[in-house]
Amino acid sequence: MPVIVVDMDKCTGHGRCYAVAPLLFTDDDEGRPIVLVSHVEGDSEKQALAAVAACPESAIWLEDDEQ
Amino acid sequence: MVNPAPGRVVVIGAGLGGLRSAEALRRRGYAGRLVMLGAERHLPYDRPPLSKQVLRGEASLPLLRAASDLDSLDATVLLDTPAIGLSVDDHLVHTATGDVAYDVAIIATGAVPRRVPGVEGGRVLRTFDDAHALRADLKQESRLLIIGAGLIGCEVAASARALGVTVAMVDVLPAPAIRVLGPDVGRLVADMHTEHGVELLLNRTVVDATRHEDGHRVALDDGTEVDADVVLESIGVIPDTSWLGSSSGIRRDNGVVCDADGRAAPDVFAVGDVANWAGHRHEHWTNVGLQADHVAAAILGQDIPPGNVSYWWSDQYEVKLQGLGQPLPEHDVAIVTWGPKARPVAVYSHHGRLTGLVGFSAAGAIMRLRGDVAAGTEVGEILDRLSPGTPAG
């Protein structure tokens, strides 16, 4: 199952991920994301891909879970 | 609603809007043919870094997707192939190398820089090649004159100062980026540039420009003359619609005229800087992706995704300016400071209701309030929540 990866060094707090995919991400006190649901499939994978596309810093992507 | 999926979608433009349209169609399950026509010779790349990392020489071509990753879109990408016409009646896009038939076309040709009349040999900054050329011009001992203190002009000023370049910036209005920020917040940005050594020439227009062997001499309406080695024209952009010609069947007025779903004509949609959706044209990065997803849903007959509060950002020096909502010039503004570092946050309101926020490196303050921008929360409540001493959350 694909897993959401966020590179916090690239993240600058645009807040797009939790704006477009509020079921998968929420924000911390500095406006940066907290991943709520890391493993995604079906509709949640589509939402995750929308968050990937919405990130201005290309700081989010999906990786195949090794298991 | 039953919509037969089109057999072939042709995306005109291979920038952010073109790529996001293709991605959204695939993400939503579109399995038909996909053709993308790019006017430039480069694969889809991102424009925000051009005025920053690329200009400072820290990054090369900022591809939106690696070439290998682009393959997974299963799209035919034709670079160096600008559209030179379109016929709604015949369902054809014309190019110099032949016609491309479409079942559905998405226009994503973006915009082109507006030029300053009378300036010869000035630079603009829209494409990667523009950025490359400007970068090559800027030496530490250079004098750069920026005409137009919008967000692009301001970002170039900051990048050029980082390179040690001498910078002057002229604008007809009394503060930088005033159309986006309003005069009060614009003044904060003006101070930021002045502190970093930019000579700001506000409330002034260019009346004459001459080019000689050693550079440019630009005369302003108050009699000031500015000598510069490099001139950047950054007075905004014009939607790129001239290629459509007069017989396309596409109506144009401040861009391609579209309905609220981005539909410009039967089987033709438009997204991004080129698109005037229901009377509104937006030039912000975030808007393009939302419109692309909206159009993909409309094409495939799927539920339209919910809208989102408008968002933009601009990186200048060490500050990340971020804006939510779309306050109008006549709206009220209160500037407060937020957090231990006393970062400025501008709170815009109309008739006492929140209409927008601009933060100076204050994502933690403004992002929490995005729902309040959408809802138009009472502004006093917002100021209470932001003011120091009030426990957060």
Side-chain angles (χ1 to χ4, degrees):
Chain A
M1 199 185 297
V3 58
I4 297 173
V5 181
V6 180
D7 183 337
M8 292 304 274
D9 289 335
K10 283 186 168 179
C11 173
T12 60
H14 289 286
R16 297 302 89 204
C17 49
Y18 45 83
V20 305
L23 299 177
L24 305 181
F25 301 88
T26 188
D27 52 333
D28 70 9
D29 289 342
E30 293 176 346
R32 307 213 296 175
I34 297 167
V35 178
L36 297 173
V37 179
S38 59
H39 291 68
V40 289
E41 66 177 339
D43 274 355
S44 65
E45 185 180 355
K46 282 182 190 166
Q47 284 174 37
L49 288 170
V52 169
C55 179
E57 307 295 339
S58 302
I60 308 173
W61 60 90
L62 298 187
E63 272 177 13
D64 284 326
D65 197 344
E66 293 300 317
Q67 298 164 27
Chain B
M1 180 163 131
V2 179
N3 243 22
R8 167 140 77 171
V9 177
V10 176
V11 181
I12 307 163
L16 182 67
L19 181 68
R20 288 292 184 260
S21 297
E23 288 173 342
L25 283 164
R26 290 295 190 224
R27 189 169 67 240
R28 288 176 170 279
Y30 172 65
R33 286 203 61 190
L34 200 49
V35 179
M36 202 186 311
L37 304 176
E40 294 178 52
R41 61 197 168 92
H42 305 296
L43 287 172
Y45 63 87
D46 206 19
R47 294 188 198 281
L50 298 182
S51 54
K52 292 157 291 211
Q53 293 90 337
V54 173
L55 200 55
R56 294 196 300 261
E58 298 160 11
S60 185
L61 184 68
L63 288 179
L64 283 160
R65 268 177 179 246
S68 57
D69 200 17
L70 202 59
D71 290 344
S72 65
L73 266 184
D74 191 20
T76 305
V77 182
L78 302 173
L79 299 176
D80 234 340
T81 309
I84 56 173
L86 182 146
S87 169
V88 169
D89 290 342
D90 301 327
H91 277 55
L92 289 176
V93 181
H94 310 302
T95 78
T97 46
D99 290 346
V100 182
Y102 67 80
D103 294 312
V104 169
I106 302 174
I107 297 172
T109 46
V112 292
R114 192 185 293 277
R115 304 304 298 244
V116 181
V119 172
E120 223 184 289
R123 292 281 181 204
V124 293
L125 181 50
R126 177 72 188 179
T127 66
F128 177 72
D129 293 349
D130 292 339
H132 201 71
L134 180 59
R135 161 86 187 147
D137 280 352
L138 293 179
K139 319 255 183 317
Q140 204 172 339
E141 65 278 12
S142 303
R143 296 160 303 169
L144 169 66
L145 173 65
I146 299 172
I147 303 174
L151 293 177
I152 297 285
C154 287
E155 291 183 352
V156 171
S159 296
R161 287 301 298 139
L163 294 169
V165 171
T166 301
V167 180
M169 184 155 61
V170 59
D171 200 286
V172 63
L173 295 170
I178 207 165
R179 288 186 186 88
V180 184
L181 302 171
D184 296 344
V185 184
R187 265 189 290 278
L188 292 184
V189 173
D191 292 345
M192 197 162 80
H193 285 279
T194 304
E195 281 161 21
H196 283 86
V198 174
E199 184 186 4
L200 277 178
L201 303 160
L202 300 168
N203 280 316
R204 277 170 268 200
T205 55
V206 172
V207 289
D208 190 43
T210 49
R211 195 181 188 195
H212 48 87
E213 223 168 274
D214 299 326
H216 302 259
R217 172 160 289 185
V218 175
L220 308 181
D221 59 349
D222 67 339
T224 310
E225 286 192 329
V226 185
D227 288 314
D229 304 297
V230 187
V231 172
L232 176 76
E233 302 167 44
S234 54
I235 58 167
V237 294
I238 304 164
D240 188 359
T241 58
S242 59
W243 60 277
L244 278 165
S246 54
S247 57
S248 63
I250 302 285
R251 204 155 71 83
R252 286 167 289 164
D253 180 14
N254 184 27
V256 171
V257 176
C258 302
D259 67 12
D261 288 325
R263 192 178 281 101
D267 302 320
V268 180
F269 294 79
V271 299
D273 292 8
V274 74
N276 180 346
W277 280 36
H280 298 281
R281 198 173 66 78
H282 301 287
E283 293 170 4
H284 300 313
W285 191 97
T286 309
N287 170 64
V288 186
L290 296 173
Q291 287 189 339
D293 196 38
H294 187 133
V295 158
I299 289 170
L300 300 173
Q302 299 175 358
D303 290 344
I304 300 299
N308 222 306
V309 173
S310 170
Y311 169 75
W312 60 267
W313 81 95
S314 175
D315 297 315
Q316 300 174 27
Y317 309 104
E318 299 307 313
V319 174
K320 182 179 279 295
L321 285 168
Q322 294 174 295
L324 286 174
Q326 292 171 289
L328 297 172
E330 66 267 24
H331 291 187
D332 299 320
V333 62
I335 300 170
V336 299
T337 55
W338 169 83
K341 291 180 179 164
R343 302 266 167 76
V345 173
V347 180
Y348 298 81
S349 60
H350 190 53
H351 297 313
R353 299 281 168 187
L354 183 67
T355 56
L357 294 160
V358 170
F360 287 62
S361 299
I366 69 165
M367 292 306 170
R368 283 274 156 93
L369 300 172
R370 63 194 185 281
D372 295 289
V373 175
T377 302
E378 205 271 306
V379 69
E381 191 190 320
I382 298 300
L383 293 171
D384 284 346
R385 274 197 255 165
L386 284 170
S387 69
T390 306

